[in-house]
Amino acid sequence: MLLRILGSGTIIPSAARRATSLLVEWAGERVLLDCGPGALEAIEESGISYRDVRRIFISHYHPDHTLGLGRFLAAANNDGRYPRRDGIAIYGPPGLEDFLEGWHRLYRGTEPKGYPLEKIEVKGGIVIESDESHIGAAPVRHGGSPALAYRVEEEGTSFVYTGDTGYDERLIELAAKAGLLVAECSFPDGHPAEGHLTPSLVGRVAAEAEVERVLLVHLYPAQFRDPSSVEAVERAVGHIFDGPVETARDGMEMAF
């Protein structure tokens, strides 16, 4: 299993960080977790074609996690030399059907042409299985918006992607004993926001779930304005969680 960080930032523009999206090589497939603005360019920069992606898992419907989705669907319709024939499956929390219909009403070019589009609303549990591998999900708290965290497992290795969430016992249960927790860490401890994690809350989730290590994503600019601020965030997580803590960088890869 190979994890690529396509983006580790937020809706705030940054020359250093695209909005958070992940690409996973799982069970012989390339799977996309969230599809924010810039995700398609990041996929291409990694040496992979967006055409190879057949499954997209959306954590919630805020624009920094979904703006690339309309472009993905429009590109699939307009890639003249390589017309799409392989199906695309999109997974997301309740409201997925209405969300995609909204894209189609706004941009008619996103309606699939020549390939099947499967829409799967997820409430939790095992979402998809393949031999000894599976992808599961759990609902999490993100203000009043339906939101999911995902767990990806393959032959004994695992990681959990929190999406956007506050502290939630369902997240801890999903992340139990995971090899890696890819955790949003939006705001400093002194400036918390509802439905988001701070460094101390990331540390608490990681410690209670007994994960092996933590990778921080979805950092607002104040969290990474210079190397010392990034180190301070990692130390704050480490005050509670005694395993390795690292801040994600766009383009980084992690093999399991």
Side-chain angles (χ1 to χ4, degrees), residues 72-80 82-88 104 107-117:
F72 188 105
L73 296 174
N77 284 337
N78 291 282
D79 199 340
Y82 305 97
R84 182 99 193 189
R85 296 292 180 261
D86 293 337
I88 300 173
H104 300 334
Y107 298 109
R108 302 300 296 180
T110 63
E111 292 185 272
K113 300 175 183 178
Y115 69 90
L117 177 63

Side-chain angles (χ1 to χ4, degrees), residues 46-125:
S46 72
I48 296 170
S49 173
Y50 82 100
R51 302 181 199 93
D52 296 335
V53 176
R54 298 177 59 188
R55 300 185 195 272
I56 303 173
F57 292 80
I58 300 298
S59 65
H60 64 293
Y61 301 120
H62 287 170
D64 52 330
H65 297 260
T66 59
L67 278 178
L69 186 57
R71 186 179 179 193
F72 188 105
L73 296 174
N77 284 337
N78 291 282
D79 199 340
R81 290 196 305 160
Y82 305 97
R84 182 99 193 189
R85 296 292 180 261
D86 293 337
I88 300 173
I90 301 178
Y91 305 76
L96 178 64
E97 186 81 27
D98 289 343
F99 177 77
L100 291 174
E101 286 303 315
W103 268 114
H104 300 334
R105 286 193 299 271
L106 187 61
Y107 298 109
R108 302 300 296 180
T110 63
E111 292 185 272
K113 300 175 183 178
Y115 69 90
L117 177 63
E118 189 176 5
K119 310 164 191 175
I120 303 100
E121 291 196 352
V122 176
K123 294 182 178 179

Side-chain angles (χ1 to χ4, degrees), residues 9-208:
T10 64
I11 195 63
I12 306 302
S14 166
R17 295 176 185 271
R18 293 185 171 107
T20 296
S21 300
L22 314 178
L23 184 68
V24 187
E25 295 191 9
W26 168 85
E29 297 187 40
R30 290 182 171 124
V31 174
L32 188 59
L33 298 177
D34 279 338
C35 190
L40 269 66
E41 287 88 351
I43 292 172
E44 297 292 324
E45 287 171 7
S46 72
I48 296 170
S49 173
Y50 82 100
R51 302 181 199 93
D52 296 335
V53 176
R54 298 177 59 188
R55 300 185 195 272
I56 303 173
F57 292 80
I58 300 298
S59 65
H60 64 293
Y61 301 120
H62 287 170
D64 52 330
H65 297 260
T66 59
L67 278 178
L69 186 57
R71 186 179 179 193
F72 188 105
L73 296 174
N77 284 337
N78 291 282
D79 199 340
R81 290 196 305 160
Y82 305 97
R84 182 99 193 189
R85 296 292 180 261
D86 293 337
I88 300 173
I90 301 178
Y91 305 76
L96 178 64
E97 186 81 27
D98 289 343
F99 177 77
L100 291 174
E101 286 303 315
W103 268 114
H104 300 334
R105 286 193 299 271
L106 187 61
Y107 298 109
R108 302 300 296 180
T110 63
E111 292 185 272
K113 300 175 183 178
Y115 69 90
L117 177 63
E118 189 176 5
K119 310 164 191 175
I120 303 100
E121 291 196 352
V122 176
K123 294 182 178 179
I126 301 298
V127 181
I128 181 174
E129 290 186 282
S130 175
D131 297 326
E132 296 180 7
S133 306
H134 71 264
I135 298 177
V140 291
R141 294 187 181 92
H142 186 44
S145 302
L148 296 168
Y150 290 103
R151 182 176 182 125
V152 181
E153 296 209 11
E154 184 175 25
E155 298 179 353
T157 63
S158 62
F159 79 88
V160 169
Y161 169 50
T162 66
D164 284 7
T165 180
Y167 175 85
D168 195 316
E169 291 182 355
R170 295 169 296 184
L171 172 60
I172 295 168
E173 182 177 353
L174 181 74
K177 306 290 186 181
L180 174 68
L181 178 68
V182 183
E184 74 120 293
C185 191
S186 297
F187 301 105
D189 285 315
H191 300 279
E194 182 182 0
H196 287 288
L197 295 173
T198 62
S200 63
L201 287 176
V202 172
R204 181 180 173 188
V205 169
E208 293 181 6

